[in-house]
Amino acid sequence: MNIRDYQATDFEPLCQMSRKLYPNYADDELRRDLKRFTELQNQRIFMALDGELYAGFIMVSIRTDYVEGASSSPTGYLEAIYIEPDHRRKGLSRKLIAIGEQWVKTRGCSEMGSDTWLWNEDSIQFHKSMGFAEEDRLVHFIKKL
């Protein structure tokens, strides 16, 4: 398994895997947001390849705004992680997270934040298995005026 920095030639595979992670995201919005992510200095994508096959990716960032539960700033942030089904349960997530954590540490971060939807029990359990502690639960509201 080879883990390396994102390269421009990885854009289409990144889009394909991201569609699986975010199936309800409009394709044009997803592509726009991914493109923007690849261009910013305070964000990094690492790609995992098994030979010529893409096995997964991680997206991490440095946040300087408030991060729930963080006691320091800047704070590293796990923006997204995806592993193809055939490569799951083999330690790849742990390796990607370790690389993401190392990247944010070298940029002055001593904490790493993340989030998931309240209903996403698989993601909640994943985060806990990776050493994240649940900080809070939040329900958002909207009212039409």
Side-chain angles (χ1 to χ4, degrees):
M1 192 68 58
N2 178 34
I3 298 173
R4 61 168 170 74
D5 282 332
Y6 168 86
Q7 300 170 5
T9 56
D10 298 326
F11 189 72
E12 286 307 318
L14 177 65
C15 287
Q16 291 170 8
M17 289 186 285
S18 295
R19 276 189 210 103
K20 297 173 189 174
L21 183 60
Y22 304 112
N24 297 326
Y25 214 135
D27 189 58
D28 58 333
E29 290 179 38
L30 179 64
R31 294 177 74 81
R32 183 194 66 230
D33 289 349
L34 289 172
K35 182 70 172 151
R36 187 177 310 136
F37 196 94
T38 67
E39 296 169 347
L40 298 173
Q41 294 285 14
N42 65 340
Q43 303 180 108
R44 184 64 61 95
I45 302 171
F46 296 96
M47 305 298 292
L49 289 95
D50 183 4
E52 298 293 314
L53 298 175
Y54 287 87
F57 70 88
I58 188 170
M59 300 170 74
V60 293
S61 69
I62 309 291
R63 292 193 178 184
T64 55
D65 55 337
Y66 178 71
V67 172
E68 286 288 335
S71 59
S72 62
S73 183
T75 305
Y77 211 81
L78 171 59
E79 300 290 348
I81 187 167
Y82 177 80
I83 308 297
E84 290 285 6
D86 291 349
H87 291 88
R88 294 178 185 168
R89 304 219 179 271
K90 297 178 182 177
L92 183 54
S93 292
R94 216 169 274 294
K95 288 178 187 173
L96 286 170
I97 288 191
I99 288 169
E101 289 173 344
Q102 185 58 38
W103 184 79
V104 301
K105 279 184 193 177
T106 63
R107 280 143 186 87
C109 299
S110 60
E111 297 175 284
M112 181 82 116
S114 188
D115 60 64
T116 191
W117 297 107
L118 187 60
W119 53 262
N120 195 339
E121 285 298 325
D122 288 342
S123 182
I124 291 168
Q125 290 309 312
F126 168 79
H127 279 81
K128 289 178 179 179
S129 75
M130 293 294 126
F132 287 87
E134 187 174 319
E135 174 55 32
D136 201 357
R137 296 215 171 198
L138 180 66
V139 177
H140 296 266
F141 295 93
I142 191 82
K143 180 180 180 181
K144 298 284 185 188
L145 301 177

